[in-house]
Amino acid sequence: MIDKLWIVHYVVSLGRHCSLIFRMGTEALMQTSFRLEGAQLARCRNCAGDGVFWPSVGLEDPEDQFADLAQVL
């Protein structure tokens, strides 16, 4: 998916002028951001599946951003 994006760039560090996206796997998310267990962890996995994407919206035209993301979904 990531290699098909044209406007949005895949990076770890957010905060640039261009749109960026970062994917974090559920296991890594649980180890770094959340410490969920039991029913809470099960609910999170039900929503997040194998991981989540964190976008950082840049200064590009919004229609270009939407089109770029839509073509990979």
Side-chain angles (χ1 to χ4, degrees):
M1 175 181 133
I2 297 300
D3 60 333
K4 294 180 181 177
L5 293 172
W6 180 67
I7 297 290
V8 179
H9 302 272
Y10 177 77
V11 296
V12 175
S13 176
L14 303 179
R16 295 179 51 198
H17 67 281
C18 59
S19 293
L20 309 171
I21 195 164
F22 174 71
R23 181 192 177 276
M24 181 174 267
T26 303
E27 288 302 319
L29 191 61
M30 292 305 115
Q31 293 171 1
T32 60
S33 300
F34 304 102
R35 306 267 191 244
L36 303 179
E37 297 177 348
Q40 288 181 324
L41 177 58
R43 260 195 329 266
C44 180
R45 285 188 187 281
N46 188 43
C47 292
D50 292 332
V52 296
F53 288 94
W54 292 354
S56 174
V57 179
L59 302 176
E60 302 89 358
D61 182 279
E63 293 301 319
D64 289 341
Q65 294 174 17
F66 292 137
D68 195 30
L69 293 169
Q71 58 101 12
V72 298
L73 297 178

